[in-house]
Amino acid sequence: MKYYPELDGVRAMAALAVVLVHTDRATLPGGVFGVDIFFVLSGYLTTSIAASHRYTFKGFIWRRFIRVWPLMAFVSFCVGALLFSVNLNGLVVWPSLVFLQTFFSPHLSPMGHTWTLTMEMSFYILIALLAYCRLNVLRISLALYVICVMSRYALPVNSIYYLPGPHSSGLFLGAILATSRFTLPKPFVNLTLVTSLVMFAFVAIVGENSIGGLPTAILIAEWVGVGIIAACISAPSWAGILLRWKPIRYLGWISYGIYIWHIPVLVFFKDKETVPKFIATVLTTIILASLTYYFLEKPLLVKRPPRRGEPHDHDVKVKVADRGGFEPPTP
């Protein structure tokens, strides 16, 4: 699929918003909705790959698995070992290893933030089944999106955030964007991108309580994500200059590592004052994310499973420096 450098900037923006809100919720109470931007982007990119049928079903699922699990497992083992070393229960990390964290009190675990990966992996399997069974992905995604949104308003507010159904709507919205092949007319690209970024900043600053509660805040954040992504894939724009800036793009490349590392690092610095804690957390997280990107993620990303018609021992090196979303573009 075509590489859009602005999407790396979107990932960096969302990741930093999540890190900031976990460092000090009072400063950016709506930063948690960076997760919903991630969901829409993930749904868009994953569905685009699945719908292209570039890989076999097995190859597609395997690539999603090696993109997500190795780093999560490495950090989980590190956290578990550290907990055991100070006579605490290191087994609390086990749900993250099997993509079940969302069902085991994620707010009480140092790896609780991996609840998002439960939803991601479930979506990967579902969208692959729909695509490879040649079903109408657009219509089914639209129906599932409506069901997710309706359930979010029907269920108690304190139970919807970690539930795969009510909070999976962003993934299906991304799938709708991918399969509808929607793009903006060029004259509207700059306006849409600026408006969407301003809206995301507004939601992040005021939080859900000022915009109708959690269900509505998630809904707004998802559609803001659609606006940002639609603008980025429609045409290059002056409004996307910052998102295309190489240092921001680099943070996008390592954004998965930033997300996985930031909570364990934050726990380590929890006794510091807010500003030093944020600086220490961000710098340490970026260093660890960079190390695991180059020594763990990148070696796995430079190989891909065989496409249809290729021998199974076919191994192709790909250019990792130019990454479109969750993986580098492949030849």
Side-chain angles (χ1 to χ4, degrees):
M1 62 181 292
K2 184 178 178 180
Y3 171 64
Y4 302 100
E6 294 89 349
L7 295 185
D8 288 325
V10 173
R11 298 174 68 199
M13 174 190 71
L16 292 178
V18 172
V19 173
L20 181 55
V21 71
H22 286 157
T23 305
D24 181 31
R25 189 174 181 85
T27 302
L28 200 73
V32 290
F33 299 112
V35 167
D36 297 288
I37 304 294
F38 270 120
F39 279 166
V40 178
L41 181 57
S42 177
Y44 169 77
L45 293 168
T46 305
T47 304
S48 297
I49 296 170
S52 71
H53 296 279
R54 291 189 297 170
Y55 300 113
T56 63
F57 176 82
K58 180 180 178 181
F60 174 83
I61 295 298
W62 175 246
R63 188 159 186 83
R64 295 297 90 206
F65 179 79
I66 64 170
R67 181 66 189 96
V68 172
W69 191 82
L71 177 58
M72 180 177 65
F74 177 75
V75 177
S76 296
F77 282 125
C78 290
V79 171
L82 184 61
L83 290 174
F84 278 126
S85 70
V86 293
N87 297 318
L88 294 175
N89 181 18
L91 294 178
V92 296
V93 304
W94 78 264
S96 66
L97 296 173
V98 289
F99 300 105
L100 292 175
Q101 186 63 72
T102 195
F103 303 109
F104 289 87
S105 302
H107 58 288
L108 299 178
S109 170
M111 292 301 294
H113 56 305
T114 61
W115 65 270
T116 58
L117 301 181
T118 304
M119 301 188 191
E120 293 267 5
M121 284 304 299
S122 301
F123 174 79
Y124 295 159
I125 295 170
L126 175 60
I127 210 67
L129 286 171
L130 295 178
Y132 287 93
C133 289
R134 304 287 178 174
L135 299 176
N136 192 314
V137 177
L138 175 58
R139 291 183 179 179
I140 295 174
S141 296
L142 181 58
L144 291 174
Y145 173 72
V146 172
I147 292 171
C148 289
V149 173
M150 292 178 64
S151 67
R152 196 158 61 227
Y153 283 94
L155 294 171
V157 174
N158 60 358
S159 67
I160 64 174
Y161 192 77
Y162 298 113
L163 283 179
H167 208 163
S168 297
S169 51
L171 291 160
F172 294 111
L173 196 54
I176 294 168
L177 180 61
T179 50
S180 66
R181 301 182 183 277
F182 173 79
T183 56
L184 293 164
K186 194 170 183 179
F188 294 97
V189 170
N190 281 307
L191 178 62
T192 301
L193 184 54
V194 171
T195 302
S196 299
L197 290 173
V198 170
M199 280 296 298
F200 177 67
F202 174 75
V203 171
I205 291 170
V206 302
E208 67 266 23
N209 293 330
S210 301
I211 51 176
L214 184 60
T216 302
I218 294 174
L219 184 68
I220 294 173
E222 291 169 348
W223 281 98
V224 165
V226 169
I228 293 172
I229 296 166
C232 289
I233 65 176
S234 296
S237 64
W238 60 261
I241 290 175
L242 181 61
L243 296 176
R244 293 193 297 270
W245 189 35
K246 195 166 184 178
I248 298 297
R249 287 172 54 203
Y250 175 75
L251 293 178
W253 299 347
I254 64 169
S255 59
Y256 179 50
I258 290 174
Y259 181 77
I260 294 296
W261 277 111
H262 84 279
I263 290 293
V265 172
L266 186 58
V267 171
F268 184 79
F269 291 119
K270 64 183 178 66
D271 295 326
K272 290 185 175 293
E273 297 294 330
T274 299
V275 174
K277 179 168 64 175
F278 176 70
I279 295 173
T281 299
V282 169
L283 291 179
T284 305
T285 298
I286 289 175
I287 291 171
L288 291 172
S290 297
L291 289 173
T292 48
Y293 172 72
Y294 284 108
F295 293 104
L296 179 61
E297 294 179 81
K298 188 173 179 178
L300 294 173
L301 285 170
V302 296
K303 295 183 179 181
R304 65 168 173 82
R307 295 182 185 175
R308 294 180 179 276
E310 291 179 348
H312 285 274
D313 60 352
H314 184 71
D315 231 2
V316 179
K317 297 287 184 179
V318 297
K319 187 178 180 183
V320 178
D322 292 330
R323 303 181 59 220
F326 279 91
E327 63 181 0
T330 49

